[in-house]
Amino acid sequence: MLQSETFEHYEDKTISTTSATFGLLRKELISNLGMKRAKAFLLRYGWNLGVAHAKEVLKNPTKLEDMLNKGGELHLQTGQISKMISERTLETGENGEVIYIYATGKWLDSFEVKEHIKNHGISDHPVCHTLAGLGSGYTSMILKRKVFLKEIKCRAMGHEDCVYEMRLEEEWHDHPEMLEEIKLYNESSFIEELNYTYEQLLEQKNYIEKVSTFHDTLTTKLSEGHSIEELVLTVSETLDLPVTVEDLNFQARIYEGFTDGEYEKLNEDFLNSLSRTRSGKIQSVTYNKTFIIRGQYHNRLVTPIIVQKQIIGYFTFIYKDKTVELENDMKFIQRAASSAALYFLNEKTSIEAVENMKGYFFEQLLLKQYASESGVIYRGYYMGIDLKEPYYIATLNCSSNQRDSSSMEFYDQIIQSITRYLEMQSFNILITEFNNQIVMLLPKVQDLSFILGNILSHLNNQFRVVNFRIGLSNVSDTIEHITESLEESQIALRINNHDQVVYFENASIVGTLINSKNMMTIRRKAEKELQPILQLKEAKRDELLKTLYVFLLNGGNLQQSISDLSLSMSGLMYRVSKIEKLLNKELRNPIVAYEFLLMLDALKILGDIDV
């Protein structure tokens, strides 16, 4: 039942106020309670006004129609409107009880519209709540049936007039929006509203204090020089949640709060829930803000860790209880990610200083600018690299049709990106730019192929318009062979133009025969024998070299060579004849053909020709 105890025990006194004063009250209600609760208060306020007026009318009852008409007079007397136009249908039973009522009408010059627009501007919903409540309360008291008015058009929304409908409560059963509005009449009193608001404010204050204390705790940990592992442990223990710090491929570097087995199961559930491209790659660009993932077995709250405007990883809260409202922890995870970002920024600054030293040290190794092997091994310890252990040399090739992929600035970005990524993996390497290439010294580990694949995947996500390939040398167990290992990695890339990771151990016999000791000899021999062709103009030279290479590669098979070169038989025979004349050699001689094919392969591997 709607409450009207105020009017049961006390004699009402009429007080007057201005529309501006009421508008100020209305503004404060909306500002402090929110639109929904302010609306509830204004509806109930209007209802009680209507009930009070109806009780005065019922002291001297007349016909129902006459008493109902007096309801409109209340609006006019209080200055709430300048005029009201309405049409009403009323049906009563044999005993005079009301069995049906329906009315439509307009309120002209509503004071609520004026005050709302002045204080809040144009609205996206009706605003004449006091008028609707007053009409509902007055009519319900007169008819002894619950009747409710609903404003369906409002000048505050830009409509021409404020229009309402009136119906019995049960007649609104097929209007969900009105049923929600009717519930507002039956809510708590204003004092209870204030108590509720106070409780909300107190809860919010406690929440903010908890977030502030949480942030202070993490800041203290950072200032005291604690590690990222200790920071993650603090977050997990403080919030009593499993948490992880993950790289850009959503592989955990650190996690706390569950066992290895639990992590593997939940991480598989998580990865299956991520958005992917048609090729199966994770759409990392869609995860640049805090987001929620709801898996089959758990939910996750994830936010990026951003250092100098670049995402370097993710902080994750894990919820095994899927009923928990994750939104409540938004501020906590953002504070945690900010603290992690500060840690990694400090690490980045330190790493960059160390990496500059390591880069210079690596260049000295490649140039063999050191006095003794024992001395350079000792220096390697300070760089986190044990040069007595087996190692590989890798050369990273970058190419792009859409950006300059050979500038020093671009190389620096690549080196920093790889360094940050491998730091997240706790994998230490030497890396530098050397002779316009990016070169890496990689310790021999069991899963090196997996690591190289992840490096390429990381680079492809970071630099989408660039193609990356890695050439890997054979394993070496002494630093004396570092130059040879570098050559092997470069030769591997020249031999294979297709694979993303190319291993020198899979190189052709010609590739394996080339090294720094015989490189100049092979080059001089090949250039001497092919000099008559090499001295021609570039277009003619390349045409004949390609014809020679394809013809020899096909073992002198004319039909296959015609197909590969897209030539006619006469065109091919003309070129072969011209080549034989220039070189003064018979190409169908197996020994001659074999030697020339080896020379062409050698020049191709050395990068001197492109056939």
Side-chain angles (χ1 to χ4, degrees):
M1 289 292 291
L2 292 168
Q3 303 299 312
S4 57
E5 286 80 4
T6 303
F7 304 101
E8 296 289 348
H9 306 294
Y10 303 97
E11 180 181 351
D12 277 341
K13 288 182 171 57
T14 302
I15 60 173
S16 61
T17 185
T18 65
S19 61
T21 303
F22 186 83
L24 180 62
L25 172 63
R26 192 177 185 280
K27 176 186 176 183
E28 291 299 315
L29 286 170
I30 292 173
S31 298
N32 290 284
L33 299 179
M35 190 63 73
K36 180 179 178 181
R37 294 195 172 277
K39 176 181 178 180
F41 173 79
L42 293 170
L43 286 171
R44 294 195 297 275
Y45 171 74
W47 176 280
N48 285 327
L49 282 179
V51 168
H53 187 63
K55 286 183 176 180
E56 290 297 318
V57 171
L58 288 172
K59 289 179 180 179
N60 299 295
T62 58
K63 292 182 179 179
L64 280 181
E65 289 282 0
D66 293 338
M67 289 191 292
L68 290 174
N69 290 335
K70 288 183 179 181
E73 296 174 7
L74 177 60
H75 291 307
L76 300 173
Q77 290 169 1
T78 56
Q80 294 175 341
I81 59 175
S82 64
K83 185 178 181 181
M84 187 172 84
I85 303 170
S86 65
E87 295 181 0
R88 181 172 57 240
T89 301
L90 178 66
E91 295 181 13
T92 57
E94 294 180 359
N95 299 321
E97 73 279 9
V98 175
I99 59 175
Y100 177 79
I101 186 172
Y102 175 79
T104 59
K106 298 178 182 179
W107 296 310
L108 304 185
D109 300 324
S110 164
F111 82 109
E112 285 192 271
V113 168
K114 177 182 177 182
E115 293 302 321
H116 187 93
I117 292 177
K118 180 173 71 176
N119 293 313
H120 305 286
I122 296 298
S123 174
D124 57 1
H125 55 268
V127 303
C128 301
H129 309 313
T130 305
L131 294 177
L134 191 152
S136 300
Y138 180 85
T139 308
S140 296
M141 196 69 181
I142 295 295
L143 300 184
K144 297 181 176 56
R145 294 281 306 271
K146 281 190 179 179
V147 178
F148 292 97
L149 274 71
K150 176 174 177 57
E151 188 177 14
I152 58 176
K153 291 184 179 180
C154 185
R155 284 195 305 112
M157 299 173 66
H159 297 143
E160 186 175 349
D161 296 302
C162 295
V163 179
Y164 68 85
E165 285 187 20
M166 176 192 291
R167 303 183 188 185
L168 290 169
E169 181 180 21
E170 56 268 29
E171 295 294 328
W172 288 111
H173 69 278
D174 57 349
H175 291 73
E177 184 180 343
M178 185 56 186
L179 292 177
E180 288 299 315
E181 186 169 308
I182 290 173
K183 291 179 182 178
L184 299 179
Y185 285 90
N186 296 312
E187 287 191 358
S188 55
S189 67
F190 185 55
I191 295 299
E192 289 174 325
E193 286 284 0
L194 292 177
N195 287 335
Y196 172 81
T197 303
Y198 173 75
E199 289 172 1
Q200 291 290 99
L201 291 173
L202 184 60
E203 183 179 333
Q204 185 67 13
K205 174 178 175 291
N206 292 336
Y207 176 74
I208 292 173
E209 287 180 350
K210 185 178 179 182
V211 172
S212 179
T213 302
F214 176 74
H215 184 69
D216 290 344
T217 301
L218 298 185
T219 303
T220 301
K221 289 286 183 182
L222 288 174
S223 65
E224 292 175 352
H226 289 268
S227 67
I228 186 65
E229 288 80 8
E230 291 169 314
L231 190 74
V232 170
L233 178 61
T234 299
V235 173
S236 177
E237 291 179 344
T238 302
L239 300 178
D240 193 25
L241 275 176
V243 300
T244 71
V245 170
E246 297 170 333
D247 61 26
L248 293 173
N249 293 316
F250 295 102
Q251 296 297 320
R253 175 190 171 185
I254 310 160
Y255 55 82
E256 290 288 349
F258 40 40
T259 64
D260 292 347
E262 286 179 312
Y263 170 75
E264 293 299 332
K265 178 182 178 181
L266 295 180
N267 199 50
E268 182 180 357
D269 184 33
F270 168 66
L271 294 175
N272 290 336
S273 303
L274 291 173
S275 299
R276 297 179 182 271
T277 63
R278 291 183 178 179
S279 61
K281 291 184 178 180
I282 295 173
Q283 291 181 313
S284 56
V285 291
T286 63
Y287 300 117
N288 56 4
K289 296 179 181 178
T290 303
F291 62 94
I292 292 172
I293 290 290
R294 303 188 188 278
Q296 184 177 357
Y297 305 109
H298 78 301
N299 293 334
R300 289 197 185 198
L301 184 62
V302 187
T303 198
I305 301 171
I306 301 174
V307 175
Q308 294 181 324
K309 298 182 180 180
Q310 286 192 329
I311 298 174
I312 66 165
Y314 296 90
F315 214 108
T316 301
F317 289 178
I318 296 177
Y319 303 82
K320 299 174 188 176
D321 181 357
K322 298 185 68 176
T323 64
V324 174
E325 294 185 10
L326 279 60
E327 291 79 1
N328 294 335
D329 287 339
M330 286 283 192
K331 292 190 182 297
F332 289 103
I333 196 170
Q334 289 164 0
R335 294 298 189 282
S338 296
S339 297
L342 287 174
Y343 173 84
F344 286 119
L345 177 60
N346 182 55
E347 285 289 291
K348 178 178 180 290
T349 304
S350 302
I351 287 170
E352 284 178 353
V354 173
E355 288 304 320
N356 288 336
M357 293 174 57
K358 290 169 70 175
Y360 178 68
F361 172 67
F362 192 19
E363 286 183 26
Q364 289 182 307
L365 287 180
L366 294 171
L367 294 170
K368 294 194 173 182
Q369 295 177 344
Y370 51 85
S372 66
E373 183 176 342
S374 60
V376 81
I377 289 174
Y378 185 73
R379 286 179 60 194
Y381 291 140
Y382 287 101
M383 305 296 171
I385 295 290
D386 187 353
L387 296 177
K388 291 193 299 183
E389 294 295 319
Y391 67 89
Y392 294 88
I393 294 295
T395 297
L396 178 67
N397 178 269
C398 318
S399 61
S400 175
N401 296 325
Q402 301 182 40
R403 67 173 294 175
D404 181 6
S405 59
S406 60
S407 67
M408 288 301 300
E409 181 183 357
F410 179 70
Y411 285 156
D412 286 342
Q413 292 177 12
I414 296 295
I415 290 171
Q416 289 178 23
S417 182
I418 293 174
T419 302
R420 282 197 301 268
Y421 174 74
L422 293 180
E423 169 64 15
M424 293 284 285
Q425 311 301 318
S426 299
F427 186 64
N428 203 12
I429 70 168
L430 294 179
I431 182 169
T432 191
E433 182 275 330
F434 186 76
N435 290 340
N436 297 319
Q437 290 179 309
I438 294 175
V439 182
M440 296 175 279
L441 185 148
L442 308 166
K444 182 184 178 182
V445 292
Q446 189 172 4
D447 56 348
L448 183 60
S449 296
F450 178 74
I451 292 173
L452 292 176
N454 281 343
I455 290 174
L456 288 172
S457 177
H458 169 75
L459 292 175
N460 288 329
N461 285 331
Q462 290 287 99
F463 309 93
R464 293 185 173 275
V465 297
V466 182
N467 296 317
F468 296 97
R469 298 173 61 243
I470 292 176
L472 192 69
S473 71
N474 280 331
V475 66
S476 181
D477 57 4
T478 174
I479 203 65
E480 288 184 357
H481 297 156
I482 192 168
T483 303
E484 289 82 352
S485 296
L486 174 61
E487 290 169 359
E488 289 175 357
S489 68
Q490 295 169 341
I491 288 171
L493 285 173
R494 295 192 198 109
I495 292 174
N496 185 322
N497 296 323
H498 309 293
D499 296 337
Q500 280 200 301
V501 180
V502 186
Y503 301 89
F504 182 74
E505 65 182 18
N506 297 330
S508 67
I509 186 64
V510 180
T512 59
L513 290 175
I514 297 176
N515 56 60
S516 60
K517 296 177 181 179
N518 63 24
M519 185 186 299
M520 293 307 299
T521 302
I522 292 173
R523 181 176 280 131
R524 283 196 297 269
K525 171 69 175 174
E527 288 177 348
K528 178 182 178 182
E529 294 293 332
L530 294 168
Q531 180 63 22
I533 295 178
L534 294 175
Q535 68 182 2
L536 297 174
K537 291 183 178 180
E538 184 177 350
K540 194 65 176 176
R541 178 199 66 197
D542 293 345
E543 176 185 280
L544 294 181
L545 284 176
K546 184 173 182 180
T547 301
L548 175 59
Y549 185 72
V550 171
F551 181 74
L552 295 177
L553 197 62
N554 289 326
N557 186 304
L558 296 176
Q559 293 299 328
Q560 186 61 48
S561 299
I562 288 171
S563 175
D564 291 344
L565 294 167
S566 300
L567 287 174
S568 63
M569 177 64 77
S570 60
L572 176 62
M573 294 306 298
Y574 171 77
R575 287 189 187 179
V576 170
S577 176
K578 186 172 181 62
I579 291 169
E580 289 180 329
K581 184 176 180 181
L582 286 169
L583 299 179
N584 194 25
K585 297 287 184 180
E586 173 59 55
L587 297 182
R588 293 189 180 275
N589 183 316
I591 296 176
V592 171
Y594 177 71
E595 286 183 349
F596 275 118
L597 184 58
L598 285 179
M599 283 186 280
L600 287 169
D601 268 332
L603 290 179
K604 178 183 177 184
I605 290 169
L606 292 172
D608 292 350
I609 64 172
D610 182 15
V611 291

